[in-house]
Amino acid sequence: VSDGTLNDRTSFIFSVVNHQFWVTPISSSGGSLDPVSPQSVFSGDQISFRVLPTPSYHMEQISGCNGTLVADIYSTGTILTDCSVTASFAVNTYTLSYRAGAGGTIIGTTTQSIGYGLNATSITAIAADGYHFVHWSDGLTTPTRTDRDIHQDLTVTASFALNLDTDQDGIPDHWESAFGLNPLLPNVAGQDSDGDGYSDYHEYLLGLDPLAEN
């Protein structure tokens, strides 16, 4: 009969069981955590997950298990119980800025935040009295623009120029040049280049093409 004491003839073997806990990764759409499945972790240990956004997304937030994020690696704190690591992802957004140079304004939303691959809303460059629209700083020559399939930030400025009338016929040089008329040759009263009953001067005032019947 043993009296419960240790002696040369009696030995006790103590088996220490190290508990294991589950760390569960949870991800929103737009990305994942690696490894993707729940991980068994010994009590007192740590585990790390790599944060993997899908193309055109970025990680918005990550938390759980008292962890910390360094670059794209999220490392848990010391694991003492079951816990979860939760990551949320969001689509990339880009800023579009539309500016007006001297002699004009912009109609429309001049600063837009657009999601990856989506389209911006239309904006129009409007010249002030005595000016005309020339072009956008990225080379586009139409005053109204709708930028599509956005993949990066964009900042563009609309340029305007003074209306010159070298021949003093009431029709600006830039308008005459655009339609092949001579800005150095005065447009005689009532001149109707396309013979549609509207003089070139009136077609200018109405924004019409002086070489096409209207």
Side-chain angles (χ1 to χ4, degrees), residues 18-19 21 23 40-47 76-80:
N18 198 0
H19 291 286
F21 298 103
V23 177
S40 178
V41 181
F42 285 110
S43 177
D45 283 353
Q46 296 174 287
I47 188 172
T76 69
T78 301
I79 299 301
L80 299 174

Side-chain angles (χ1 to χ4, degrees), residues 175 179 181 192-196 199-200 203 208-212 214:
W175 192 87
F179 291 106
L181 303 177
D192 182 6
S193 297
D194 56 15
D196 63 357
S199 69
D200 293 351
E203 298 218 40
L208 302 176
D209 183 343
L211 303 180
N214 299 285

Side-chain angles (χ1 to χ4, degrees), residues 165-171 173 176 181-189 191 200:
D165 184 10
T166 303
D167 55 19
Q168 297 184 343
D169 60 359
I171 304 176
D173 292 357
E176 291 182 292
L181 303 177
N182 189 345
L184 303 180
L185 180 65
N187 192 283
V188 297
Q191 178 176 323
D200 293 351

Side-chain angles (χ1 to χ4, degrees), residues 6 9-10 25 59-60 64 89 91 98 109 150 163 187 195 207 209-210:
L6 293 176
R9 295 176 299 172
T10 307
M59 189 203 68
E60 192 170 47
F89 300 87
V91 68
Y98 302 99
T109 304
I150 301 304
N163 291 338
N187 192 283
D209 183 343

Side-chain angles (χ1 to χ4, degrees), residues 75-96:
S75 300
T76 69
T78 301
I79 299 301
L80 299 174
T81 186
D82 293 337
C83 61
S84 298
V85 173
T86 302
S88 60
F89 300 87
V91 68
N92 294 341
T93 58
Y94 302 96
T95 300
L96 280 61

